[in-house]
Amino acid sequence: MNVEELAEELADFWASALVERDWAGRLELMNRIHEQLYKDLEDERTFRQVSLHFVAAAIHRLGDPPVTSDAQAEIYAQSADEAHCQAARLWWKHGRGGNEAGAAGGEERRRYPRQVVDEPSLVWIGEHTVACRLVDLSAGGARVTAFRTDLDVGTQVRVAMPDGEVQPAKVVHANACSAGLRFEPVQRAA
């Protein structure tokens, strides 16, 4: 069975359970599915391929609704379907439900302006590597999404940047499939 066939079979199996949940519940269930999938597949590359196609197939079975929440955007960002990824990028850039703006007047609270990006990347936690997507970037940090992140607040990591550089960072917030990173100063030899 190839990657796409396995992904379609998984989407068929989980479709009824996903339909019954809201987007936050779907995100939680998909995280559990991905944890098991990671254990069951032979390598990280196969896991990533099946994961991307499974997410796309699951979203198609849900009717490809427009993105209306952060949880939904987290799921869409992990799809093999470029239209889903684009919908997540647009949500993060324009449609967020107030998570990026300050309480009064909707002004930006961040120290550095963020740029929405959509680049495959890697995060290193010690010697462990996690495939992810870099979804936004600023002079002071970045946001990455990945199922099975293992990124806990306070964890020191390194992240691959779009220009090929590797930037040390610290996890400042995280959930089951995304993390906010604050860049750390590069230690230079004296």
Side-chain angles (χ1 to χ4, degrees):
M1 180 178 301
N2 70 30
V3 166
E4 289 85 6
E5 290 171 336
L6 177 56
E8 292 290 334
E9 186 175 297
L10 284 167
D12 286 340
F13 181 82
W14 288 104
S16 62
L18 289 166
V19 166
E20 297 171 356
R21 291 170 167 75
D22 64 7
W23 285 104
R26 291 170 181 155
L27 180 60
E28 179 186 340
L29 177 58
M30 290 186 107
N31 286 330
R32 291 196 327 254
I33 293 166
H34 280 86
E35 285 175 16
Q36 187 60 50
L37 195 58
Y38 187 79
K39 292 175 187 175
D40 292 344
L41 295 174
E42 65 267 9
D43 61 54
E44 184 96 22
R45 183 174 182 270
T46 303
F47 164 74
R48 187 73 179 147
Q49 291 176 337
V50 172
S51 172
L52 291 168
H53 290 285
F54 163 63
V55 172
I59 294 169
H60 291 310
R61 281 160 182 73
L62 294 168
D64 296 299
V67 177
T68 58
S69 72
D70 285 344
Q72 186 180 3
E74 297 280 354
I75 293 169
Y76 274 52
Q78 296 301 318
S79 172
D81 186 325
E82 179 54 35
H84 298 154
C85 295
Q86 178 65 19
R89 286 191 299 270
L90 289 172
W91 173 258
W92 287 321
K93 186 172 185 177
H94 301 292
R96 294 189 78 122
N99 290 347
E100 297 297 309
E107 72 274 5
E108 175 71 38
R109 294 181 304 180
R110 296 186 186 279
R111 181 186 218 178
Y112 303 104
R114 293 267 167 154
Q115 175 186 353
V116 175
V117 295
D118 183 28
E119 297 282 335
S121 186
L122 296 171
V123 170
W124 290 270
I125 310 162
E127 298 304 313
H128 178 70
T129 306
V130 176
C132 64
R133 289 197 83 71
L134 192 60
V135 296
D136 71 33
L137 184 62
S138 77
R143 177 179 164 105
V144 297
T145 62
F147 286 111
R148 207 197 127 275
T149 61
D150 297 334
L151 297 173
D152 297 319
V153 173
T155 303
Q156 297 291 328
V157 300
R158 293 171 314 192
V159 60
M161 304 304 291
D163 65 4
E165 294 292 318
V166 176
Q167 176 70 41
K170 184 176 187 176
V171 178
V172 292
H173 64 82
N175 62 35
C177 71
S178 73
L181 308 176
R182 182 181 65 223
F183 295 144
E184 299 285 295
V186 176
Q187 302 295 326
R188 304 274 185 217

PDB file of all heavy atoms in Angstrom, residues 142-173:
ATOM      1  N   ALA A 142       9.942  32.914  15.987  1.00  0.00           N
ATOM      2  CA  ALA A 142       9.242  32.215  14.920  1.00  0.00           C
ATOM      3  C   ALA A 142       8.157  31.344  15.523  1.00  0.00           C
ATOM      4  O   ALA A 142       8.138  31.078  16.725  1.00  0.00           O
ATOM      5  CB  ALA A 142      10.212  31.348  14.122  1.00  0.00           C
ATOM      6  N   ARG A 143       7.266  30.902  14.669  1.00  0.00           N
ATOM      7  CA  ARG A 143       6.240  29.936  15.055  1.00  0.00           C
ATOM      8  C   ARG A 143       6.381  28.759  14.113  1.00  0.00           C
ATOM      9  O   ARG A 143       6.512  28.930  12.896  1.00  0.00           O
ATOM     10  CB  ARG A 143       4.859  30.565  14.923  1.00  0.00           C
ATOM     11  CG  ARG A 143       3.714  29.637  15.231  1.00  0.00           C
ATOM     12  CD  ARG A 143       2.421  30.432  15.069  1.00  0.00           C
ATOM     13  NE  ARG A 143       1.286  29.605  14.965  1.00  0.00           N
ATOM     14  CZ  ARG A 143       0.407  29.420  15.944  1.00  0.00           C
ATOM     15  NH1 ARG A 143       0.563  30.020  17.089  1.00  0.00           N
ATOM     16  NH2 ARG A 143      -0.617  28.639  15.759  1.00  0.00           N
ATOM     17  N   VAL A 144       6.357  27.553  14.677  1.00  0.00           N
ATOM     18  CA  VAL A 144       6.437  26.330  13.889  1.00  0.00           C
ATOM     19  C   VAL A 144       5.237  25.454  14.208  1.00  0.00           C
ATOM     20  O   VAL A 144       4.703  25.494  15.319  1.00  0.00           O
ATOM     21  CB  VAL A 144       7.753  25.552  14.150  1.00  0.00           C
ATOM     22  CG1 VAL A 144       8.960  26.361  13.720  1.00  0.00           C
ATOM     23  CG2 VAL A 144       7.880  25.127  15.598  1.00  0.00           C
ATOM     24  N   THR A 145       4.806  24.688  13.210  1.00  0.00           N
ATOM     25  CA  THR A 145       3.753  23.698  13.432  1.00  0.00           C
ATOM     26  C   THR A 145       4.286  22.337  13.030  1.00  0.00           C
ATOM     27  O   THR A 145       5.056  22.209  12.082  1.00  0.00           O
ATOM     28  CB  THR A 145       2.480  23.998  12.606  1.00  0.00           C
ATOM     29  OG1 THR A 145       2.795  23.942  11.225  1.00  0.00           O
ATOM     30  CG2 THR A 145       1.892  25.346  12.960  1.00  0.00           C
ATOM     31  N   ALA A 146       3.886  21.345  13.773  1.00  0.00           N
ATOM     32  CA  ALA A 146       4.229  19.956  13.467  1.00  0.00           C
ATOM     33  C   ALA A 146       3.421  19.069  14.385  1.00  0.00           C
ATOM     34  O   ALA A 146       3.241  19.382  15.563  1.00  0.00           O
ATOM     35  CB  ALA A 146       5.715  19.695  13.691  1.00  0.00           C
ATOM     36  N   PHE A 147       2.897  17.995  13.857  1.00  0.00           N
ATOM     37  CA  PHE A 147       2.280  17.016  14.735  1.00  0.00           C
ATOM     38  C   PHE A 147       3.400  16.328  15.493  1.00  0.00           C
ATOM     39  O   PHE A 147       4.476  16.072  14.958  1.00  0.00           O
ATOM     40  CB  PHE A 147       1.462  15.994  13.934  1.00  0.00           C
ATOM     41  CG  PHE A 147       0.184  16.580  13.419  1.00  0.00           C
ATOM     42  CD1 PHE A 147       0.007  16.802  12.078  1.00  0.00           C
ATOM     43  CD2 PHE A 147      -0.835  16.937  14.292  1.00  0.00           C
ATOM     44  CE1 PHE A 147      -1.166  17.353  11.608  1.00  0.00           C
ATOM     45  CE2 PHE A 147      -2.009  17.496  13.829  1.00  0.00           C
ATOM     46  CZ  PHE A 147      -2.179  17.701  12.480  1.00  0.00           C
ATOM     47  N   ARG A 148       3.159  16.073  16.765  1.00  0.00           N
ATOM     48  CA  ARG A 148       4.131  15.411  17.625  1.00  0.00           C
ATOM     49  C   ARG A 148       5.375  16.276  17.802  1.00  0.00           C
ATOM     50  O   ARG A 148       6.478  15.892  17.476  1.00  0.00           O
ATOM     51  CB  ARG A 148       4.520  14.054  17.014  1.00  0.00           C
ATOM     52  CG  ARG A 148       4.954  13.039  18.030  1.00  0.00           C
ATOM     53  CD  ARG A 148       5.694  11.914  17.330  1.00  0.00           C
ATOM     54  NE  ARG A 148       6.978  11.696  17.955  1.00  0.00           N
ATOM     55  CZ  ARG A 148       8.091  12.353  17.677  1.00  0.00           C
ATOM     56  NH1 ARG A 148       8.140  13.277  16.777  1.00  0.00           N
ATOM     57  NH2 ARG A 148       9.202  12.077  18.331  1.00  0.00           N
ATOM     58  N   THR A 149       5.200  17.462  18.358  1.00  0.00           N
ATOM     59  CA  THR A 149       6.334  18.369  18.448  1.00  0.00           C
ATOM     60  C   THR A 149       7.313  18.056  19.575  1.00  0.00           C
ATOM     61  O   THR A 149       8.489  18.317  19.440  1.00  0.00           O
ATOM     62  CB  THR A 149       5.878  19.830  18.625  1.00  0.00           C
ATOM     63  OG1 THR A 149       5.137  19.946  19.828  1.00  0.00           O
ATOM     64  CG2 THR A 149       5.097  20.316  17.433  1.00  0.00           C
ATOM     65  N   ASP A 150       6.859  17.557  20.696  1.00  0.00           N
ATOM     66  CA  ASP A 150       7.732  17.339  21.856  1.00  0.00           C
ATOM     67  C   ASP A 150       8.403  18.627  22.318  1.00  0.00           C
ATOM     68  O   ASP A 150       9.489  18.608  22.880  1.00  0.00           O
ATOM     69  CB  ASP A 150       8.827  16.298  21.577  1.00  0.00           C
ATOM     70  CG  ASP A 150       8.275  14.913  21.290  1.00  0.00           C
ATOM     71  OD1 ASP A 150       7.168  14.608  21.762  1.00  0.00           O
ATOM     72  OD2 ASP A 150       8.956  14.150  20.604  1.00  0.00           O
ATOM     73  N   LEU A 151       7.811  19.747  22.040  1.00  0.00           N
ATOM     74  CA  LEU A 151       8.392  21.030  22.403  1.00  0.00           C
ATOM     75  C   LEU A 151       7.684  21.572  23.636  1.00  0.00           C
ATOM     76  O   LEU A 151       6.534  21.989  23.562  1.00  0.00           O
ATOM     77  CB  LEU A 151       8.269  22.023  21.242  1.00  0.00           C
ATOM     78  CG  LEU A 151       9.024  21.649  19.973  1.00  0.00           C
ATOM     79  CD1 LEU A 151       8.688  22.610  18.844  1.00  0.00           C
ATOM     80  CD2 LEU A 151      10.517  21.627  20.218  1.00  0.00           C
ATOM     81  N   ASP A 152       8.373  21.568  24.758  1.00  0.00           N
ATOM     82  CA  ASP A 152       7.819  22.082  26.002  1.00  0.00           C
ATOM     83  C   ASP A 152       8.357  23.480  26.257  1.00  0.00           C
ATOM     84  O   ASP A 152       9.493  23.804  25.884  1.00  0.00           O
ATOM     85  CB  ASP A 152       8.196  21.164  27.172  1.00  0.00           C
ATOM     86  CG  ASP A 152       7.605  19.773  27.029  1.00  0.00           C
ATOM     87  OD1 ASP A 152       6.435  19.676  26.613  1.00  0.00           O
ATOM     88  OD2 ASP A 152       8.307  18.796  27.324  1.00  0.00           O
ATOM     89  N   VAL A 153       7.555  24.302  26.911  1.00  0.00           N
ATOM     90  CA  VAL A 153       7.979  25.657  27.247  1.00  0.00           C
ATOM     91  C   VAL A 153       9.290  25.593  28.023  1.00  0.00           C
ATOM     92  O   VAL A 153       9.457  24.783  28.943  1.00  0.00           O
ATOM     93  CB  VAL A 153       6.880  26.380  28.053  1.00  0.00           C
ATOM     94  CG1 VAL A 153       7.377  27.721  28.557  1.00  0.00           C
ATOM     95  CG2 VAL A 153       5.622  26.558  27.199  1.00  0.00           C
ATOM     96  N   GLY A 154      10.237  26.437  27.617  1.00  0.00           N
ATOM     97  CA  GLY A 154      11.543  26.495  28.254  1.00  0.00           C
ATOM     98  C   GLY A 154      12.607  25.650  27.576  1.00  0.00           C
ATOM     99  O   GLY A 154      13.795  25.793  27.863  1.00  0.00           O
ATOM    100  N   THR A 155      12.209  24.771  26.664  1.00  0.00           N
ATOM    101  CA  THR A 155      13.159  23.900  25.980  1.00  0.00           C
ATOM    102  C   THR A 155      14.055  24.712  25.044  1.00  0.00           C
ATOM    103  O   THR A 155      13.578  25.553  24.296  1.00  0.00           O
ATOM    104  CB  THR A 155      12.417  22.822  25.155  1.00  0.00           C
ATOM    105  OG1 THR A 155      11.558  22.081  26.025  1.00  0.00           O
ATOM    106  CG2 THR A 155      13.386  21.883  24.462  1.00  0.00           C
ATOM    107  N   GLN A 156      15.345  24.446  25.103  1.00  0.00           N
ATOM    108  CA  GLN A 156      16.306  25.055  24.175  1.00  0.00           C
ATOM    109  C   GLN A 156      16.331  24.209  22.910  1.00  0.00           C
ATOM    110  O   GLN A 156      16.454  22.984  22.978  1.00  0.00           O
ATOM    111  CB  GLN A 156      17.703  25.102  24.801  1.00  0.00           C
ATOM    112  CG  GLN A 156      17.791  25.960  26.032  1.00  0.00           C
ATOM    113  CD  GLN A 156      17.640  27.441  25.716  1.00  0.00           C
ATOM    114  OE1 GLN A 156      18.021  27.933  24.667  1.00  0.00           O
ATOM    115  NE2 GLN A 156      17.060  28.170  26.663  1.00  0.00           N
ATOM    116  N   VAL A 157      16.195  24.861  21.756  1.00  0.00           N
ATOM    117  CA  VAL A 157      16.163  24.158  20.473  1.00  0.00           C
ATOM    118  C   VAL A 157      17.028  24.906  19.466  1.00  0.00           C
ATOM    119  O   VAL A 157      17.536  25.993  19.750  1.00  0.00           O
ATOM    120  CB  VAL A 157      14.716  24.047  19.932  1.00  0.00           C
ATOM    121  CG1 VAL A 157      13.825  23.273  20.896  1.00  0.00           C
ATOM    122  CG2 VAL A 157      14.127  25.416  19.635  1.00  0.00           C
ATOM    123  N   ARG A 158      17.159  24.321  18.301  1.00  0.00           N
ATOM    124  CA  ARG A 158      17.736  24.990  17.142  1.00  0.00           C
ATOM    125  C   ARG A 158      16.723  24.818  16.015  1.00  0.00           C
ATOM    126  O   ARG A 158      16.116  23.752  15.888  1.00  0.00           O
ATOM    127  CB  ARG A 158      19.070  24.372  16.755  1.00  0.00           C
ATOM    128  CG  ARG A 158      20.154  24.606  17.805  1.00  0.00           C
ATOM    129  CD  ARG A 158      21.361  23.801  17.485  1.00  0.00           C
ATOM    130  NE  ARG A 158      20.845  22.465  17.164  1.00  0.00           N
ATOM    131  CZ  ARG A 158      21.559  21.373  17.032  1.00  0.00           C
ATOM    132  NH1 ARG A 158      22.817  21.406  17.160  1.00  0.00           N
ATOM    133  NH2 ARG A 158      21.030  20.215  16.745  1.00  0.00           N
ATOM    134  N   VAL A 159      16.550  25.849  15.205  1.00  0.00           N
ATOM    135  CA  VAL A 159      15.572  25.790  14.119  1.00  0.00           C
ATOM    136  C   VAL A 159      16.249  26.193  12.809  1.00  0.00           C
ATOM    137  O   VAL A 159      17.041  27.130  12.769  1.00  0.00           O
ATOM    138  CB  VAL A 159      14.334  26.681  14.414  1.00  0.00           C
ATOM    139  CG1 VAL A 159      14.718  28.133  14.587  1.00  0.00           C
ATOM    140  CG2 VAL A 159      13.265  26.534  13.349  1.00  0.00           C
ATOM    141  N   ALA A 160      15.941  25.437  11.735  1.00  0.00           N
ATOM    142  CA  ALA A 160      16.463  25.750  10.412  1.00  0.00           C
ATOM    143  C   ALA A 160      15.658  26.903   9.825  1.00  0.00           C
ATOM    144  O   ALA A 160      14.436  26.858   9.770  1.00  0.00           O
ATOM    145  CB  ALA A 160      16.367  24.528   9.504  1.00  0.00           C
ATOM    146  N   MET A 161      16.369  27.927   9.398  1.00  0.00           N
ATOM    147  CA  MET A 161      15.740  29.118   8.831  1.00  0.00           C
ATOM    148  C   MET A 161      15.629  28.971   7.309  1.00  0.00           C
ATOM    149  O   MET A 161      16.334  28.158   6.709  1.00  0.00           O
ATOM    150  CB  MET A 161      16.576  30.348   9.190  1.00  0.00           C
ATOM    151  CG  MET A 161      16.802  30.531  10.697  1.00  0.00           C
ATOM    152  SD  MET A 161      15.285  30.598  11.636  1.00  0.00           S
ATOM    153  CE  MET A 161      14.652  32.161  11.060  1.00  0.00           C
ATOM    154  N   PRO A 162      14.771  29.767   6.660  1.00  0.00           N
ATOM    155  CA  PRO A 162      14.622  29.660   5.200  1.00  0.00           C
ATOM    156  C   PRO A 162      15.915  29.879   4.429  1.00  0.00           C
ATOM    157  O   PRO A 162      16.100  29.312   3.353  1.00  0.00           O
ATOM    158  CB  PRO A 162      13.604  30.758   4.864  1.00  0.00           C
ATOM    159  CG  PRO A 162      12.818  30.946   6.115  1.00  0.00           C
ATOM    160  CD  PRO A 162      13.796  30.704   7.239  1.00  0.00           C
ATOM    161  N   ASP A 163      16.839  30.661   4.975  1.00  0.00           N
ATOM    162  CA  ASP A 163      18.109  30.916   4.277  1.00  0.00           C
ATOM    163  C   ASP A 163      19.146  29.816   4.513  1.00  0.00           C
ATOM    164  O   ASP A 163      20.270  29.912   4.042  1.00  0.00           O
ATOM    165  CB  ASP A 163      18.678  32.273   4.685  1.00  0.00           C
ATOM    166  CG  ASP A 163      19.066  32.356   6.159  1.00  0.00           C
ATOM    167  OD1 ASP A 163      18.962  31.332   6.888  1.00  0.00           O
ATOM    168  OD2 ASP A 163      19.463  33.453   6.595  1.00  0.00           O
ATOM    169  N   GLY A 164      18.772  28.764   5.260  1.00  0.00           N
ATOM    170  CA  GLY A 164      19.677  27.653   5.516  1.00  0.00           C
ATOM    171  C   GLY A 164      20.444  27.757   6.824  1.00  0.00           C
ATOM    172  O   GLY A 164      21.061  26.789   7.263  1.00  0.00           O
ATOM    173  N   GLU A 165      20.438  28.931   7.452  1.00  0.00           N
ATOM    174  CA  GLU A 165      21.090  29.093   8.747  1.00  0.00           C
ATOM    175  C   GLU A 165      20.327  28.311   9.812  1.00  0.00           C
ATOM    176  O   GLU A 165      19.132  28.054   9.674  1.00  0.00           O
ATOM    177  CB  GLU A 165      21.140  30.571   9.142  1.00  0.00           C
ATOM    178  CG  GLU A 165      22.006  31.414   8.241  1.00  0.00           C
ATOM    179  CD  GLU A 165      23.481  31.078   8.370  1.00  0.00           C
ATOM    180  OE1 GLU A 165      23.957  30.879   9.505  1.00  0.00           O
ATOM    181  OE2 GLU A 165      24.149  31.012   7.331  1.00  0.00           O
ATOM    182  N   VAL A 166      21.011  27.967  10.886  1.00  0.00           N
ATOM    183  CA  VAL A 166      20.382  27.313  12.027  1.00  0.00           C
ATOM    184  C   VAL A 166      20.445  28.288  13.188  1.00  0.00           C
ATOM    185  O   VAL A 166      21.522  28.765  13.558  1.00  0.00           O
ATOM    186  CB  VAL A 166      21.081  25.980  12.368  1.00  0.00           C
ATOM    187  CG1 VAL A 166      20.486  25.372  13.618  1.00  0.00           C
ATOM    188  CG2 VAL A 166      20.977  25.016  11.189  1.00  0.00           C
ATOM    189  N   GLN A 167      19.283  28.602  13.755  1.00  0.00           N
ATOM    190  CA  GLN A 167      19.162  29.622  14.789  1.00  0.00           C
ATOM    191  C   GLN A 167      18.819  28.976  16.130  1.00  0.00           C
ATOM    192  O   GLN A 167      17.854  28.229  16.230  1.00  0.00           O
ATOM    193  CB  GLN A 167      18.044  30.603  14.391  1.00  0.00           C
ATOM    194  CG  GLN A 167      17.749  31.659  15.398  1.00  0.00           C
ATOM    195  CD  GLN A 167      18.865  32.689  15.513  1.00  0.00           C
ATOM    196  OE1 GLN A 167      19.437  33.122  14.527  1.00  0.00           O
ATOM    197  NE2 GLN A 167      19.174  33.069  16.730  1.00  0.00           N
ATOM    198  N   PRO A 168      19.598  29.255  17.192  1.00  0.00           N
ATOM    199  CA  PRO A 168      19.211  28.766  18.511  1.00  0.00           C
ATOM    200  C   PRO A 168      17.984  29.532  19.003  1.00  0.00           C
ATOM    201  O   PRO A 168      17.819  30.723  18.721  1.00  0.00           O
ATOM    202  CB  PRO A 168      20.427  29.057  19.385  1.00  0.00           C
ATOM    203  CG  PRO A 168      21.253  30.047  18.642  1.00  0.00           C
ATOM    204  CD  PRO A 168      20.867  29.980  17.200  1.00  0.00           C
ATOM    205  N   ALA A 169      17.109  28.833  19.720  1.00  0.00           N
ATOM    206  CA  ALA A 169      15.877  29.452  20.193  1.00  0.00           C
ATOM    207  C   ALA A 169      15.407  28.766  21.468  1.00  0.00           C
ATOM    208  O   ALA A 169      15.889  27.690  21.831  1.00  0.00           O
ATOM    209  CB  ALA A 169      14.796  29.361  19.122  1.00  0.00           C
ATOM    210  N   LYS A 170      14.461  29.407  22.123  1.00  0.00           N
ATOM    211  CA  LYS A 170      13.838  28.870  23.325  1.00  0.00           C
ATOM    212  C   LYS A 170      12.338  28.823  23.090  1.00  0.00           C
ATOM    213  O   LYS A 170      11.757  29.769  22.549  1.00  0.00           O
ATOM    214  CB  LYS A 170      14.157  29.767  24.516  1.00  0.00           C
ATOM    215  CG  LYS A 170      13.638  29.252  25.829  1.00  0.00           C
ATOM    216  CD  LYS A 170      14.096  30.164  26.948  1.00  0.00           C
ATOM    217  CE  LYS A 170      13.744  29.588  28.294  1.00  0.00           C
ATOM    218  NZ  LYS A 170      14.272  30.439  29.372  1.00  0.00           N
ATOM    219  N   VAL A 171      11.693  27.718  23.482  1.00  0.00           N
ATOM    220  CA  VAL A 171      10.247  27.589  23.338  1.00  0.00           C
ATOM    221  C   VAL A 171       9.582  28.461  24.396  1.00  0.00           C
ATOM    222  O   VAL A 171       9.837  28.298  25.587  1.00  0.00           O
ATOM    223  CB  VAL A 171       9.798  26.125  23.486  1.00  0.00           C
ATOM    224  CG1 VAL A 171       8.285  26.013  23.376  1.00  0.00           C
ATOM    225  CG2 VAL A 171      10.494  25.238  22.460  1.00  0.00           C
ATOM    226  N   VAL A 172       8.738  29.408  23.944  1.00  0.00           N
ATOM    227  CA  VAL A 172       8.062  30.310  24.884  1.00  0.00           C
ATOM    228  C   VAL A 172       6.586  29.988  25.048  1.00  0.00           C
ATOM    229  O   VAL A 172       5.974  30.388  26.037  1.00  0.00           O
ATOM    230  CB  VAL A 172       8.259  31.795  24.504  1.00  0.00           C
ATOM    231  CG1 VAL A 172       9.721  32.191  24.696  1.00  0.00           C
ATOM    232  CG2 VAL A 172       7.803  32.094  23.097  1.00  0.00           C
ATOM    233  N   HIS A 173       6.000  29.303  24.087  1.00  0.00           N
ATOM    234  CA  HIS A 173       4.647  28.750  24.250  1.00  0.00           C
ATOM    235  C   HIS A 173       4.503  27.580  23.303  1.00  0.00           C
ATOM    236  O   HIS A 173       5.158  27.513  22.260  1.00  0.00           O
ATOM    237  CB  HIS A 173       3.550  29.807  24.035  1.00  0.00           C
ATOM    238  CG  HIS A 173       3.480  30.370  22.660  1.00  0.00           C
ATOM    239  ND1 HIS A 173       2.829  29.741  21.626  1.00  0.00           N
ATOM    240  CD2 HIS A 173       3.984  31.505  22.134  1.00  0.00           C
ATOM    241  CE1 HIS A 173       2.930  30.474  20.524  1.00  0.00           C
ATOM    242  NE2 HIS A 173       3.640  31.537  20.803  1.00  0.00           N
TER     243      HIS A 173
END
